Amino acid sequence: MRYAHTVEQVRAAEAALMARLPEGTLMRRAAAGLAATCLELLADPGAGADPGEGGPGAGGAPAAAGRDARRGHRRGGVYGRRVVVLAGSGDNGGDALFAGARLAARGVRVSAVLLAPERTHAAGLAALLAAGGAVVPARAEGERELGRADLVLDGIVGIGGRGGLRESALPYVRAARRAGVRVVAVDLPSGVDPDTGEVPGEALAATVTVAFGTHKPGLFVDPGAGYAGVVRLVGIGLDLPAPAVEVLQHADVAALLPRPAAESDKYRRGVVGVAAGSERYPGAAVLAVSAALRGGAGAVRYAGTAAREVVRAHPETLVSDGGPKAAGRVQAWVVGPGLADGDQAVRTLEEALAAGVPTLVDADGLRLLARRPGGPVPDGRLLLTPHAGEAAALLAGVGVAVTSAQVEAERLRYARLIAGRYGCTVLLKGSTTVIAGPDPAAPVRVNPTGTPWLATAGSGDVLSGLAGALLASGLAPLDAASAAAYLHGLAGRIAAGGDPAGGGYAPVTASDVAAALPAAWRNVTV
C-alpha cells in the first residue's frame, strides 16, 4: 500500500519534527535523497524513463540520453555533467540548492536560476556557491543553460504553491520543455496542486519526482499524476497521522480476492444478480454478466428484458425476464447499466434496493437514484459507480449544483461529498478512479491501474459486473470497488497490448477487457 497526506498533515508533522532536531536537519535529509536520485540519473542516461509509469514526465529521457551520447558521456560518470537548478523562494528552492551543492561537490557543473532573488533560501545558495556552483545572472542566459543541461532540478514551487505558476517562471518551464531535458521535481512538479492534482495553468512535467516524507495526493490524481513521472519516496523521519489517500498495489489486491475452499459450492461462493439492459441496450446486460462470471462469484442470475441475448452469449447464466424480486436469492445486486428510463426501470431499481443485500448502482440507475422521491436513504451496503456527469446528477439530487468539469477537477472532494450525502461507497470513474466510503475520516483510495484505451463503450458495464461479483463473494463495498477498479485497469492494459505494465498500443473493446479479466486476476495473484 502507498499512502499520501495533505499539505496540512505534512506541515504539522514537519513542524513537530523540526522542533526536536537541530536547525536545517530536515532540509539536509531531503537534499541528500534528492542528490542521490540526480546522481543516479546522471550516471545512467536511460535511468528514470518508465513508459508504463512515467506519463508525460518520462518524455524527456530519450532526448537527454541522445545528448549524452553525442557529448561522449559514458554510463557511470557524472564529472562535468550539467545541471540547472530552478530555485524558487522558500524551502522547496532551498532543498534544490542544497542538493545542487552536493552535486557540485561531486564534479557536476551546477548553475542556479533564481526566480525570486530577493527571497532565495540564503543558506542553500551559500552552500551551492561554496561547492563551486554558479548563479545564472539573466533570463536569456538561463534559457540557454537549460538548452545545454543534462538534468534540471525543479525547485520552483513546492507543496505551498496554489493557483498555478507565476508568469516569471513560464519562460524557464517552456525552455526546459523545448530542450527535452530530464527533470527531477522537488517533492512535487511545479504547477500541480499537491492536495487535488489540479493543474490550473502550465506545469513542468517531471521524469522523476522525489517526494519527501510521504506522497502527496496530487501525485496520484490526474491531471497532476500525468506530470509526476516516476515517483520516488525519500524518508525524512516524519511521524504522520492516518493518510488522506491510499493506493493499493498487487499484494493488497491479492489479499482481498476470494479463493474457493475445497468444500465450496456455487452458492457458498456467492451469487450475484444483474438487473441491466433493455430492448434498446441489450449489450449492457451481456457485458455486465460477462464480467460478473469472471469476478469470483459462484453463479450469476440475470433479471431483465435481455435474457435471450444474455443466455445466448453466456449459457451458464441463470436468467429471468422478470425483475429482481422474482429472480431468486442473491448475495448482491448490480442494477442500472443500459436500464434506460421509465416505470419499469424505476421498479427494477426499487426491487434491487429492497432486497436487503449489497447493491451496486450504475449508469441509468444513478440518474433514477438522484431523482428518487424523498431523496437518498443512507445505506452503507450501497456502491455507486458514477462518471463525472453522473456524479454531478447525484449531487444535484441532494441540492449541490456542480458541473462535470468541476467534478473532474476535484475528484477527491466530490467523491467524498457524494459518499457522505448518500451514506454509501462511491467509485468515481475517470482518468483517475477514486473510491470513497461514507466515513469522512477514512482515506480515499486512488486506483493506479488503467489505460486511456478503457475510454470505450461498455467499459463501465464490465467494471460494474466485476465489482458486483466481488460484493457477492463477501467483500465490503470499499474493498470490492478497489479490487474491481484495479483488475479492470490491469485487464485494459493486457487487452491493449498483452503487457500488464501498459506498454502496448492497440484499441480495445469492452468485450476484450472482460475476456482479459482472468489474466489480470492471475497477474495479481501469481
Side-chain angles (χ1 to χ4, degrees):
M1 189 87 74
R2 289 183 290 175
Y3 303 103
H5 293 78
T6 65
V7 171
E8 182 180 1
Q9 290 176 311
V10 171
R11 292 292 195 214
E14 287 178 340
L17 183 57
M18 286 189 289
R20 304 194 303 268
L21 295 174
E23 185 177 356
T25 302
L26 215 57
M27 187 168 287
R28 286 194 293 273
R29 290 178 181 176
L34 186 58
T37 296
C38 292
L39 288 169
E40 180 184 338
L41 293 173
L42 290 169
D44 183 356
D50 187 341
E53 300 289 342
R67 220 173 15 255
D68 286 333
R70 290 193 297 274
R71 289 176 181 164
H73 289 310
R74 291 178 297 176
R75 180 172 176 167
V78 300
Y79 187 85
R81 297 293 183 98
R82 294 176 179 267
V83 170
V84 175
V85 176
L86 297 177
S89 60
D91 289 347
N92 192 256
D95 293 333
L97 290 167
F98 274 117
R102 286 176 172 267
L103 297 175
R106 294 287 298 271
V108 179
R109 298 174 63 177
V110 182
S111 302
V113 174
L114 308 180
L115 278 80
E118 70 286 355
R119 290 181 288 127
T120 297
H121 194 280
L125 179 58
L128 176 66
L129 296 175
V135 172
V136 179
R139 170 179 151 183
E141 180 59 28
E143 292 185 39
R144 282 193 292 271
E145 282 292 303
L146 286 165
R148 296 191 290 261
D150 298 299
L151 194 71
V152 171
L153 258 179
D154 169 19
I156 302 173
V157 181
I159 61 174
R162 289 291 190 277
L165 292 174
R166 295 185 178 181
E167 194 68 30
S168 60
L170 296 182
Y172 301 110
V173 169
R174 292 165 185 167
R177 189 182 301 138
R178 286 194 304 270
V181 63
R182 287 175 295 172
V183 176
V184 175
V186 181
D187 211 20
L188 187 83
S190 292
V192 173
D193 186 288
D195 284 345
T196 68
E198 286 184 271
V199 180
E202 294 188 45
L204 183 53
T207 309
V208 176
T209 295
V210 179
F212 302 136
T214 182
H215 299 97
K216 315 309 179 288
L219 296 173
F220 296 133
V221 181
D222 281 331
Y227 287 84
V230 177
V231 179
R232 297 187 179 183
L233 182 62
V234 171
I236 56 174
L238 298 182
D239 184 11
L240 293 158
V245 166
E246 295 177 338
V247 180
L248 272 65
Q249 297 178 288
H250 264 40
D252 305 305
V253 177
L256 294 175
L257 296 179
R259 291 175 180 262
E263 295 184 357
S264 295
D265 59 36
K266 62 187 177 184
Y267 298 110
R268 290 176 183 173
R269 290 181 59 194
V271 179
V272 59
V274 177
S278 58
E279 291 184 7
R280 185 177 180 185
Y281 302 116
V286 173
L287 289 168
V289 167
S290 178
L293 288 165
R294 297 172 167 95
V300 178
R301 294 188 187 275
Y302 172 76
T305 58
R308 182 174 298 178
E309 289 84 355
V310 167
V311 79
R312 183 183 296 121
H314 301 292
E316 58 268 70
T317 312
L318 310 171
V319 301
S320 166
D321 57 7
K325 189 175 181 180
R329 186 178 176 184
V330 300
Q331 278 70 52
W333 274 106
V334 174
V335 59
L339 206 58
D341 211 335
D343 293 342
Q344 180 59 47
V346 173
R347 284 194 295 273
T348 297
L349 175 64
E350 292 301 324
E351 287 183 13
L353 294 176
V357 297
T359 301
L360 182 150
V361 184
D362 185 32
D364 296 312
L366 294 169
R367 298 189 185 277
L368 294 173
L369 188 66
R371 303 194 301 265
R372 197 173 184 224
V377 177
D379 188 340
R381 295 170 301 182
L382 274 183
L383 170 57
L384 310 184
T385 59
H387 57 55
E390 293 159 347
L394 286 168
L395 288 166
V398 291
V400 179
V402 66
T403 66
S404 59
Q406 288 174 299
V407 172
E408 288 175 344
E410 296 185 75
R411 303 168 196 270
L412 299 176
R413 174 189 175 190
Y414 288 113
R416 281 192 183 279
L417 186 56
I418 297 169
R421 294 294 182 94
Y422 282 79
C424 65
T425 299
V426 173
L427 184 156
L428 179 56
K429 296 180 285 194
S431 60
T432 301
T433 292
V434 303
I435 303 106
D439 180 0
V444 174
R445 288 182 176 171
V446 174
N447 182 56
T449 64
T451 167
W453 293 118
L454 281 170
T456 185
S459 177
D461 304 332
V462 173
L463 176 61
S464 293
L466 173 60
L470 292 170
L471 281 175
S473 70
L475 269 67
L478 183 70
D479 288 337
S482 303
Y486 196 99
L487 290 173
H488 182 256
L490 197 58
R493 291 182 181 180
I494 292 170
D499 178 7
Y505 297 95
V508 299
T509 67
S511 296
D512 296 331
V513 177
L517 287 174
W521 195 294
R522 285 191 292 271
N523 185 267
V524 164
T525 56
V526 65

